[in-house]
């Protein structure tokens, strides 16, 4: 499964500059709104030192990392839910992503205009949230109308469903984001069927100038205050610095990061935050032909993890021969780990752990 993150924000907050740096996909970036009209998609390899080490140990011919897709969605403005700035088109693109990365401008500049005339992160976040909320409200209102007609038949289940939609409509009208609405187990399917924009997990990328990258500034603190009300993560990035980092070789990159006073690039921190946000982990397969990383949701059982590789693996699952990454690294090879008793045979109920090195046995 490829994680798909939509990058949103107001115009001129550094969205497309960050996207270009992360994906090197060459999205147009300019000092005016709506320079990105169609969503640009960049596929980025997920850095993982464990995979590189496994590939070396197994003498793999190929190394295939997991990937993450970033979708650069054009800048939203006030009134987007009513179609302002081609808003309806852009809002539709957000429905297709797994998580939202909200880029918030946290730098002052006389050269780069702000669509609202000044830098105010709390206000900017509110603008985006309001537009997403209004679109969600429109979606739910349509569902209420449709369900109300069906409920006239007297079906008790439909009546419960209608009551749920009406409750959601009321809470959205009160300004409550969908991800903060409490949903009972029997209501989960109803909520998912709405595909609400504000139900999507969100993390904030506070875009700062170089001098504020290590410590942040008062604008970043404003983002953190707002994010705390949503239990959302905040990472500090500098889109301009990320662009420079991506042009460096690995050794030069490490030195550059040290000089900036940070341990890892914005891309690494963004991916880590996104994985944590969605509860994702990585398992590995490795051998002479290839070493490969696979992304799954935390709590996935072995057959379903096998199904990520191929549906036949899940259908015909027999067992999973499993070595923890630490054990594989310690013993140096699959055969050595097997001889040392570090390889385990796991069945259908085994819950895959982050870093597991797996070989699936299955019937065709």
């Amino acid at each position: 499964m490829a994680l798909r993150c939509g990058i949103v924000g107001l115009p001129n907050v550094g969205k497309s500059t960050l996207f270009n740096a992360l994906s090197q996909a060459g999205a147009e970036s300019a000092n005016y709104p709506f320079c990105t009209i169609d969503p640009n998609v960049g596929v980025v390899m997920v850095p993982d030192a464990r995979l590189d080490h496994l590939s070396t140990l197994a003498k793999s011919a190929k190394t295939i990392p997991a990937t993450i897709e970033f979708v650069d969605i054009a800048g939203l403005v006030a009134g987007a839910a009513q179609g302002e700035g081609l808003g309806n088109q852009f809002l539709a693109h957000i429905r297709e992503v797994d998580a939202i990365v909200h880029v918030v401008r946290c730098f002052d500049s006389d050269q780069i205009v702000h669509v609202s005339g000044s830098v105010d992160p709390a206000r900017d976040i509110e603008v985006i949230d309001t537009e997403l909320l209004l679109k969600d409200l429109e979606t739910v209102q349509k569902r209420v109308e449709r369900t109300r007609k069906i409920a006239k038949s007297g079906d008790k289940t439909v009546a419960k469903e209608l009551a749920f939609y009406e409750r959601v409509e009321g809470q959205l009208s009160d300004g409550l984001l969908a991800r903060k609405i409490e949903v009972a187990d029997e209501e989960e399917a109803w909520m998912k069927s709405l595909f609400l924009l504000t139900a999507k997990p969100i993390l904030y990328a506070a875009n700062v100038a170089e001098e504020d990258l290590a410590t942040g500034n008062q604008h970043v603190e404003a983002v953190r205050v707002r994010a705390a009300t949503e239990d959302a993560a905040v990472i500090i990035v500098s889109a301009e610095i990320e662009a420079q980092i991506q042009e460096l070789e690995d050794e030069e990159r490490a030195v550059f990061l040290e000089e900036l006073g940070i341990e890892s690039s914005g891309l690494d921190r963004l991916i880590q935050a996104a994985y944590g946000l969605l509860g994702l982990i990585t398992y590995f397969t490795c051998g002479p032909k290839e070493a490969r990383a696979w992304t799954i949701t935390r709590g996935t059982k072995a057959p379903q993890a096998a199904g990520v590789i191929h549906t036949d693996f899940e259908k015909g699952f027999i067992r999973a021969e499993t070595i923890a990454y630490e054990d594989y690294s310690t013993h140096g090879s699959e055969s050595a780990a097997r001889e040392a008793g570090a390889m385990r045979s796991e069945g259908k109920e085994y819950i895959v752990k982050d870093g597991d090195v797996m070989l699936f046995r299955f019937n065709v």
Side-chain angles (χ1 to χ4, degrees), residues 91-113:
L91 288 167
H93 295 315
I94 301 175
R95 294 193 191 282
E96 302 171 2
V97 302
D98 300 306
I100 295 173
V101 178
H102 184 166
V103 181
V104 185
R105 178 168 168 173
C106 292
F107 65 89
D108 297 299
S109 172
D110 295 330
Q111 283 71 48
I112 302 177
V113 299

Side-chain angles (χ1 to χ4, degrees), residues 198-278:
T198 61
K200 293 184 180 296
I202 190 168
L203 64 89
Y204 293 98
N207 187 21
V208 301
E210 177 181 344
E211 59 268 22
D212 296 320
L213 186 55
T215 59
N217 56 30
Q218 74 274 16
H219 295 315
V220 174
E221 289 307 310
V223 176
R224 285 176 172 152
V225 169
R226 176 57 185 257
T229 66
E230 304 179 43
D231 295 323
V234 178
I235 62 168
I236 302 175
V237 299
S238 171
E240 294 296 338
I241 291 298
E242 284 302 310
Q244 296 177 43
I245 289 174
Q246 298 308 316
E247 295 177 357
L248 300 175
E249 298 295 332
D250 289 344
E251 291 185 5
E252 295 175 322
R253 187 175 300 180
V255 173
F256 186 47
L257 291 174
E258 185 176 353
E259 291 175 350
L260 291 171
I262 56 177
E263 296 181 356
S264 57
S265 71
L267 171 60
D268 290 352
R269 286 179 282 115
L270 186 56
I271 290 175
Q272 290 172 4
Y275 266 55
L277 185 67
L278 294 172

